[in-house]
């Protein structure tokens, strides 16, 4: 909502400075996004009257003018504007003036002729474009010599408010003035509404065919209007400072009433209508050419205003071209209606365009305002365009019922933590237009027609709190001791995970939980993701079930910015459908490693990271929890370079290299390595156990086994560990050999075995039987001891 302070003061009698009003509105919940003067800074510009115009002797496109700038004598100024002529009044910058951009005016010669100033256009003063090619021509009653900033009120402040969806009542000067009155106690001067004299005989019949969607519809015919009449400067100025471009007097009047009191309106050309106006749902496939020159195909969920021939306008959204007023219009129909917010909501997105009217209707318009709007618009039409007004015709559907809400003073004190006197509470409620009635415990409030958001006691407490001023509530009422609960021994702190990832060179990222549906197919083979009913955009249509898509997108962004070594991680929730049909959300940690293991340097050769590098990072994450890596196939990962992470028989995640087909599709020069693990498993750790350190030296035996290529090192270690006793402290692979001396399809794997006793020095007599059992177990699994 954009408005000028000077217009607001016509309804709120306040003397607050613009800065103080900005702070007050923001603290009360009406956030001020921007506050700036109506024009940039400039000085020395006055109103001047052009007395004479003569052609420049040495330039075809220049004129020599004599102007009266209120200095007591005529001033000679050379001007190149095409619209300069004798008798007009224009802004004039005299020597010493400083225009926007610190442009200083000095006497000068132009093609040999002295020029003692400059006649100005709107562009040179930093004012909104008036559509005129040349000088900014002022009204004939503009006082010569007056300061142009004072005459045009250019020191006025233009506010832009960020109105929350529940405060549609503040989408007008009237609504904001009511708020300022409640916040400051100043007088609230509502716009005077005068009933128009009925001099015309023509009426426009109205019929509501969808009473649940349209609660009230009022029409009035005004005959013999002058559609070519010019919009008054004062109205054009207020519209422009509210962010609305002036189009024509009839259209401007509708916009003006909307801004002034909050009721959107529409103007039809009465001679283009056929029979009664019907407010109904559109027929499927019905078309309408709108005022924005777009032709839309309507659906059955759309409310339209139609006549006997067909749809005339999208109700609450935009009028149609066929019934629009033009310069040749002689008779008009004013229309003001109340549409249920739910029938208007979403239509802007559905049809690809919106309007100031739809912005208000979908948030809720005062359902008792329509007659006032018709009378106010009629007054302005008769004043500016002339004509004879007929009687209003009203049709009524289903209107909301006024809600009554109880406010207990005791509850107010408990929630806000401050004792506000009952008299002050009553005054605040009265200024907000909430019609309080005293009760035994406080007040009973009847929600006014312009406040759809007053439904429960908490709503009233919020109103009292923000008008009283949250900054006025003492901050010493909170008492009590906050005690941090002890973290279980079997759970590690969350920040330890963040610190470990950062220590290993990863940077945390945050991506959207809404993702492209194609990502779910590519990276999770999820053909039935959780779809959003109202997605923000086509690429955010579903909820993610994996973090890989977001990490790959972040990699693409980095590669586009010439970052060739990327390590990122994210801790976030993923979403899926459970077997019972309910939605399940699990927290997971995902990581991606792309590029070299180490930054480019002289001390070590550049080597790209591989599966075992990222596997080491995963093992570090799970160092407090037993886990194994089992070969698997995953839609996102390279076959043969992917593994499930298994702990206690449960798959808790996966790790591997991105599939080659996704490298081509997502334009990646080389394969990144990724992992994803349940966060609960990462945070879980085994209970700490303590044991004595042996005083006796360990014994190491190295065993080399020849085995088929199809046998994995996990198969070998599983067989060996299954035959080990308590003396065996460690079994691990330290070498793999393929080549000369081995049969085709075979490989050699060397294993070290560490044995140690807590009570005795180990001898060969003790060690050899244990080693023999290990060799037998490996032989049974398909491996032979290498000679």
């Amino acid at each position: 909502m954009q408005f000028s302070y000077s217009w607001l003061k016509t309804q709120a009698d306040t003397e607050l400075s613009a800065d103080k009003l900005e702070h007050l509105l923001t603290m009360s919940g009406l956030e001020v996004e921007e506050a700036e003067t109506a024009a940039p800074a400039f000085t020395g510009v006055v109103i001047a009257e052009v007395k004479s115009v003569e052609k420049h002797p040495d330039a075809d496109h220049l004129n020599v003018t004599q102007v009266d700038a209120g200095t007591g004598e005529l001033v000679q100024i050379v001007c190149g504007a095409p619209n300069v002529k004798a008798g007009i009044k224009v802004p004039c910058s005299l020597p010493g003036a400083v225009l926007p951009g610190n442009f200083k005016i000095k006497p000068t010669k132009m093609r040999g002729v002295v020029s003692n100033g400059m006649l100005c256009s709107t562009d040179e003063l930093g004012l909104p474009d008036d559509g005129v090619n040349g000088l900014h021509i002022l009204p004939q009653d503009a006082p010569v010599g007056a300061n142009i900033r004072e005459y045009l009120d250019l020191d006025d402040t233009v506010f832009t408010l960020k109105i929350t969806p529940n405060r549609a009542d503040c989408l007008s000067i009237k609504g904001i003035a009511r708020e300022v009155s409640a916040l400051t106690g100043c007088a609230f001067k509502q716009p005077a509404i005068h009933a128009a004299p009925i001099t015309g005989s023509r009426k426009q019949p109205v019929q509501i065919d969808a009473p649940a969607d349209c609660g009230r519809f009022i029409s009035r015919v005004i005959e013999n209007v002058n559609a070519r009449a010019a919009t008054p400067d004062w109205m054009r100025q207020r519209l422009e400072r509210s962010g609305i471009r002036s189009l024509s007097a009839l259209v401007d009047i509708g916009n003006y009433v909307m801004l002034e009191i909050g009721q959107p309106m529409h103007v039809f050309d009465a001679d283009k209508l056929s029979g009664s106006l019907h407010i109904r749902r559109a027929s499927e496939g019905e078309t309408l050419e709108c005022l924005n020159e777009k032709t839309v195909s309507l659906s059955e969920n759309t409310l339209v205003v139609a006549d006997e021939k067909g749809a005339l306008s999208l109700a609450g959204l935009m009028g149609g071209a066929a019934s629009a007023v033009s310069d040749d219009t002689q008779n008009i129909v004013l229309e003001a209606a109340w549409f249920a917010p739910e029938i208007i909501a979403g239509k802007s997105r559905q049809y690809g365009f919106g309007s100031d009217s739809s912005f208000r209707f979908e948030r809720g318009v005062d359902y008792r305002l329509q007659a006032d709007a018709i009378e106010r618009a009629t007054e302005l039409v008769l004043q500016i365009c002339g004509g004879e007004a007929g009687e209003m015709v009203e049709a009524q559907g289903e209107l909301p019922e006024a809600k009554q809400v109880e406010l207990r003073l005791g509850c107010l004190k408990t929630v806000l933590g401050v004792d506000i006197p009952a008299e002050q509470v009553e005054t605040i409620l009265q200024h907000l237009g909430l019609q309080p009635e005293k009760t035994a415990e406080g007040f009973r409030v009847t929600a006014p027609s312009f406040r759809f958001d007053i439904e429960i006691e908490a709503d009233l407490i919020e109103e009292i709190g923000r008008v009283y001023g949250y900054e006025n509530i003492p901050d010493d009422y909170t008492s009590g001791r906050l005690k941090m609960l002890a973290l279980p021994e079997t759970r590690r702190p969350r920040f330890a995970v963040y610190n470990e990832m950062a220590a290993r060179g990863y940077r945390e990222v945050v991506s959207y939980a809404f993702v492209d549906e194609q990502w779910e197919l590519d990276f999770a083979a999820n053909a039935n993701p959780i779809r959003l009913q109202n997605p923000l955009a086509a690429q955010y249509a579903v909820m993610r079930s994996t973090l890989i898509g977001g990490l790959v997108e972040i990699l693409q962004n980095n590669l586009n910015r010439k970052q060739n070594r990327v390590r990122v991680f994210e801790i976030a929730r993923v979403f899926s459908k459970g077997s019972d049909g309910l939605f399940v959300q699990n927290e997971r940690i995902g990581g991606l490693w792309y590029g070299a293991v180490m930054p480019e340097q002289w001390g070590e050769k550049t080597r790209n990271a591989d599966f075992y590098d990222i596997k080491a990072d995963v093992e570090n994450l799970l160092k407090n929890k037993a886990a194994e890596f089992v070969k698997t196939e995953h839609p996102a990962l390279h076959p043969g370079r992917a593994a499930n992470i298994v702990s206690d028989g449960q798959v808790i995640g996966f790790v591997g290299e991105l599939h080659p087909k996704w490298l081509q599709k997502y334009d990646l020069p080389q394969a990144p390595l990724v992992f994803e693990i349940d966060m609960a498993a990462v945070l879980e750790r085994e209970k700490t156990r303590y044991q004595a350190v042996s005083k006796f030296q360990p014994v190491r035996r190295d065993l080399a086994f020849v085995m088929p290529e199809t046998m994995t090192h996990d198969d070998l270690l599983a067989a060996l560990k299954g035959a080990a006793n308590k003396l065996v402290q460690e079994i691990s692979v330290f070498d793999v050999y393929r080549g000369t001396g081995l049969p085709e399809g075979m490989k050699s794997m060397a294993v070290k075995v560490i044995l140690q006793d807590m009570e005795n020095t180990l001898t060969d007599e003790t060690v050899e039987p244990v080693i023999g059992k290990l060799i037998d177990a490996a032989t049974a699994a398909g491996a032979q001891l290498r000679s």
Side-chain angles (χ1 to χ4, degrees):
M1 174 63 187
Q2 184 175 316
F3 66 93
S4 77
Y5 195 12
S6 61
W7 191 5
L8 177 68
K9 286 182 177 181
T10 63
Q11 296 190 34
D13 189 13
T14 177
E15 296 301 325
L16 283 179
S17 66
D19 290 341
K20 289 184 178 179
L21 179 65
E22 177 183 356
H23 174 77
L24 186 66
L25 290 175
T26 299
M27 292 303 296
S28 69
L30 302 180
E31 181 183 350
V32 177
E33 285 192 305
E34 190 175 8
E36 57 183 6
T37 54
F42 61 81
T43 60
V45 181
V46 297
I47 299 172
E49 182 179 0
V50 179
K51 292 296 187 180
S52 65
V53 178
E54 296 179 358
K55 279 291 183 181
H56 192 290
D58 294 324
D60 293 338
H61 301 293
L62 296 178
N63 294 291
V64 180
T65 68
Q66 301 293 326
V67 302
D68 178 7
T71 59
E73 57 184 18
L74 296 182
V75 179
Q76 178 172 290
I77 296 177
V78 177
C79 176
N83 63 338
V84 64
K85 61 182 180 179
I88 62 172
K89 292 184 178 180
V90 294
C92 174
S93 53
L94 298 174
V98 180
L99 297 184
N102 200 32
F103 180 66
K104 298 178 180 179
I105 302 299
K106 301 177 181 178
T108 185
K109 282 188 177 182
M110 299 183 70
R111 294 288 185 94
V113 177
V114 175
S115 179
N116 292 309
M118 184 173 75
L119 305 183
C120 302
S121 66
T122 55
D123 182 61
E124 289 160 338
L125 298 179
L127 301 179
D129 184 10
D130 58 0
V132 175
N133 180 23
L135 302 176
H136 179 44
I137 299 178
L138 300 171
Q140 280 300 306
D141 60 356
V144 172
N147 188 309
I148 194 71
R149 294 195 72 90
E150 295 178 2
Y151 177 74
L152 295 179
D153 193 19
L154 298 182
D155 291 321
D156 183 19
T157 301
V158 177
F159 290 94
T160 302
L161 301 187
K162 186 176 182 180
I163 303 294
T164 52
N166 65 314
R167 295 308 307 275
D169 60 297
C170 290
L171 291 171
S172 66
I173 297 296
K174 179 181 178 181
I176 299 170
R178 185 191 298 113
E179 282 292 303
V180 172
S181 172
L183 294 169
T184 65
C186 71
F188 172 40
K189 299 180 290 186
Q190 297 193 48
I193 305 297
H194 304 291
I198 307 301
T199 57
S201 58
R202 191 168 168 182
K203 298 181 181 179
Q204 177 58 56
V206 175
Q207 180 176 327
I208 297 177
D209 299 330
D213 301 332
C214 179
R216 179 178 283 120
F217 194 99
I218 302 179
S219 70
R220 166 175 275 168
V221 177
I222 304 180
E223 302 173 88
N224 301 318
V225 299
N226 176 17
R228 299 176 185 269
T231 302
D233 289 338
W234 61 268
M235 181 180 288
R236 184 185 294 109
Q237 183 188 84
R238 289 180 175 180
L239 290 174
E240 288 173 349
R241 293 182 186 178
S242 299
I244 294 181
R245 184 167 56 95
S246 176
L247 297 174
S248 68
L250 293 175
V251 175
D252 291 348
I253 288 169
N255 287 330
Y256 183 84
V257 172
M258 177 185 69
L259 292 172
E260 184 179 52
I261 65 176
Q263 172 64 51
M265 300 189 67
H266 189 65
V267 184
F268 296 101
D269 188 324
D271 298 324
K272 296 178 181 179
L273 305 184
S274 177
S276 300
L277 292 179
H278 293 265
I279 297 82
R280 59 172 174 81
R281 292 288 185 100
S283 301
E284 191 68 36
E286 189 175 5
T287 61
L288 174 69
E289 183 184 355
C290 298
L291 289 172
N292 59 5
E293 300 181 352
K294 288 186 177 181
T295 299
V296 295
S297 180
L298 307 177
S299 58
E300 294 179 348
N301 67 348
T302 303
L303 192 68
V304 297
V305 178
D307 62 6
E308 305 298 342
K309 292 182 179 179
L312 299 171
S313 68
L314 291 171
L317 184 62
M318 185 169 290
S323 58
V325 295
S326 66
D327 288 348
D328 297 325
T329 296
Q330 294 181 335
N331 307 305
I332 64 171
V333 175
L334 295 178
E335 169 254 297
W338 184 86
F339 302 119
E342 54 270 19
I343 193 62
I344 308 300
K347 297 302 181 293
S348 297
R349 187 182 301 113
Q350 179 179 340
Y351 291 108
F353 56 84
S355 64
D356 292 308
S357 295
S358 65
F359 188 81
R360 287 162 172 78
F361 275 124
E362 65 186 3
R363 286 160 173 77
V365 171
D366 185 349
Y367 57 84
R368 294 179 178 172
L369 198 59
Q370 290 69 49
D372 286 351
I374 290 289
E375 294 289 11
R376 179 63 171 142
T378 302
E379 179 184 4
L380 292 172
V381 170
L382 298 181
Q383 175 185 332
I384 298 169
C385 303
E388 297 88 42
E391 293 183 1
M392 287 192 292
V393 177
E394 178 176 351
Q396 192 162 323
E398 299 175 11
L399 290 171
E401 295 183 0
K403 298 178 181 178
Q404 289 194 331
V405 184
E406 300 284 341
L407 174 63
R408 297 166 294 168
L409 294 176
C411 183
L412 176 68
K413 180 180 179 181
T414 300
V415 174
L416 295 183
V418 62
D419 188 9
I420 304 176
E423 296 78 10
Q424 188 174 358
V425 171
E426 184 176 15
T427 300
I428 291 173
L429 295 174
Q430 287 174 343
H431 281 163
L432 290 172
L434 299 180
Q435 309 167 40
E437 300 176 13
K438 291 185 179 180
T439 63
E441 295 185 281
F443 298 94
R444 180 183 299 109
V445 166
T446 301
S449 56
F450 54 83
R451 290 300 296 270
F452 290 88
D453 58 323
I454 303 297
E455 295 184 342
I456 59 177
E457 186 176 30
D459 297 329
L460 295 176
I461 294 175
E462 180 184 8
E463 291 299 296
I464 299 298
R466 68 180 189 82
V467 175
Y468 178 77
Y470 292 124
E471 69 273 26
N472 295 325
I473 298 176
D475 57 4
D476 57 352
Y477 277 82
T478 301
S479 62
R481 295 182 178 179
L482 300 177
K483 184 178 181 181
M484 297 295 292
L485 297 177
L487 195 66
E489 191 177 356
T490 55
R491 183 177 175 85
R492 62 199 293 211
R494 291 180 64 89
F495 277 106
V497 178
Y498 289 93
N499 291 336
E500 287 179 10
M501 293 301 293
R504 296 185 76 86
Y506 288 81
R507 295 176 181 268
E508 186 188 8
V509 296
V510 178
S511 61
Y512 284 117
F514 308 145
V515 299
D516 193 325
E517 187 171 353
Q518 191 62 46
W519 290 4
E520 285 295 298
L521 282 172
D522 292 348
F523 301 124
N526 184 7
N528 188 27
I530 300 173
R531 289 182 171 80
L532 301 175
Q533 290 184 352
N534 295 303
L536 298 173
Q539 65 269 32
Y540 302 125
V542 302
M543 302 293 288
R544 66 185 173 197
S545 65
T546 177
L547 302 175
I548 300 303
L551 295 175
V552 170
E553 183 184 42
I554 289 166
L555 171 61
Q556 289 177 306
N557 292 335
N558 278 274
L559 292 176
N560 291 339
R561 289 157 180 79
K562 307 302 181 184
Q563 299 297 315
N564 55 12
R565 185 172 179 272
V566 179
R567 276 192 280 187
V568 292
F569 79 98
E570 179 173 16
I571 297 176
R573 296 192 181 276
V574 296
F575 307 87
S576 60
K577 297 177 182 177
S579 57
D580 54 2
L582 299 177
F583 297 146
V584 179
Q585 51 180 331
N586 295 315
E587 189 177 37
R588 296 174 75 85
I589 177 172
L592 180 145
W593 188 343
Y594 178 91
V597 174
M598 299 290 292
E600 188 175 1
Q601 56 173 296
W602 63 269
E604 184 174 333
K605 291 183 178 180
T606 299
R607 176 180 69 84
N608 287 332
D610 59 24
F611 175 87
Y612 298 100
D613 292 308
I614 199 165
K615 177 174 177 283
D617 290 341
V618 172
E619 288 175 331
N620 180 71
L621 269 180
L622 299 171
K623 60 187 176 184
N624 295 312
K625 185 176 179 63
E628 57 181 333
F629 297 81
V630 180
K631 181 180 177 182
T632 188
E633 291 187 2
H634 190 281
L637 304 181
H638 190 304
R641 300 180 188 176
N644 277 337
I645 306 167
V646 180
S647 178
D648 297 329
Q650 299 290 324
V651 176
I652 61 172
F654 60 84
V655 60
E657 182 181 300
L658 199 67
H659 199 291
K661 63 183 177 182
W662 307 138
L663 304 188
Q664 182 177 2
K665 180 172 182 178
Y666 293 96
D667 196 23
L668 302 176
Q670 66 186 58
L673 302 152
V674 296
F675 70 83
E676 189 173 306
I677 314 172
D678 286 334
M679 193 61 181
V682 174
L683 296 176
E684 184 181 342
R685 65 181 177 186
E686 296 179 352
K687 190 173 182 179
T688 304
R689 294 180 176 85
Y690 300 93
Q691 64 181 30
V693 178
S694 177
K695 300 178 181 178
F696 304 96
Q697 289 191 5
V699 173
R700 172 172 172 161
R701 292 287 189 269
D702 293 343
L703 305 174
F705 295 97
V706 177
M707 65 187 73
E709 285 284 2
T710 55
M711 187 174 179
T712 66
H713 98 289
D714 278 344
D715 297 334
L716 177 62
L717 292 183
L720 294 175
K721 290 178 180 179
N725 63 13
K726 66 178 183 179
L727 296 179
V728 178
Q729 302 298 315
E730 180 186 348
I731 302 176
S732 60
V733 176
F734 68 86
D735 183 56
V736 178
Y737 172 74
R738 297 177 177 87
T740 305
L742 294 179
E744 186 176 352
M746 304 294 283
K747 62 184 176 183
S748 172
M749 192 170 289
V751 178
K752 72 174 179 179
V753 181
I754 305 296
L755 303 94
Q756 191 173 36
D757 194 348
M758 298 295 295
E759 300 176 355
N760 300 292
T761 300
L762 294 178
T763 62
D764 289 344
E765 290 78 9
T766 305
V767 172
E768 293 306 327
V770 176
I771 297 299
K773 288 184 178 180
L774 296 179
I775 294 172
D776 292 341
T779 302
Q784 297 294 325
L785 186 67
R786 185 178 179 185
S787 59

